[in-house]
């Protein structure tokens, strides 16, 4: 696996720590708490990414360069991210 930033690794370790809770009820309860909070955090992560992608573009990076930074996404998708457009894999909130 490619080298991950420390923050990504800590998040993944936190998920594994939830899985390692031995008591089934405690584990299920803890995971439910996280899942209940997740939509807001997911939206915030998209906002952060959008802001940073736009900052990269403002610094003169091309959409192709930004796409590579994002892990090899298509330049058109990088541009969509900068505009805050969601992918077509899921309907937007309220259309579900």
């Amino acid at each position: 696996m490619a080298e991950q930033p420390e923050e990504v690794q800590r998040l993944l370790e936190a998920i594994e720590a939830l899985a390692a809770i031995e008591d089934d009820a405690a584990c299920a309860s803890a995971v439910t708490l996280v899942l209940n909070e997740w939509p807001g955090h997911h939206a915030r992560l998209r906002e952060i990414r959008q802001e940073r992608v736009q900052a990269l573009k403002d610094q003169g990076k091309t959409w192709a360069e930004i796409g590579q930074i994002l892990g090899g996404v298509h330049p058109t998708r990088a541009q969509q991210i900068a505009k805050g457009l969601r992918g077509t894999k899921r309907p937007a909130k309220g259309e579900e």
Side-chain angles (χ1 to χ4, degrees):
M1 179 171 12
E3 188 69 25
Q4 298 172 332
E6 178 185 346
E7 295 79 7
V8 172
Q9 189 59 42
R10 288 194 331 236
L11 176 60
L12 297 175
E13 289 170 358
I15 292 169
E16 289 307 312
L18 288 167
I21 296 173
E22 290 186 20
D23 180 270
D24 292 333
C27 179
S29 177
V31 170
T32 297
L33 291 172
V34 171
L35 290 172
N36 287 343
E37 293 292 324
W38 182 247
H41 293 290
H42 189 239
R44 180 65 181 128
L45 286 170
R46 285 193 313 269
E47 290 171 4
I48 293 167
R49 181 177 65 170
Q50 178 184 354
E51 292 167 3
R52 296 304 178 106
V53 166
Q54 188 56 56
L56 290 167
K57 185 62 177 166
D58 292 345
Q59 294 168 24
K61 299 265 189 237
T62 66
W63 293 121
E65 290 170 328
I66 294 169
Q68 287 303 308
I69 290 168
L70 296 177
V73 304
H74 194 276
T76 302
R77 180 66 189 126
Q79 189 173 16
Q80 291 169 339
I81 290 168
K83 292 179 181 178
L85 300 175
R86 297 179 71 174
T88 58
K89 292 180 183 174
R90 293 182 311 250
K93 266 192 165 179
E95 294 179 15
E96 298 167 341

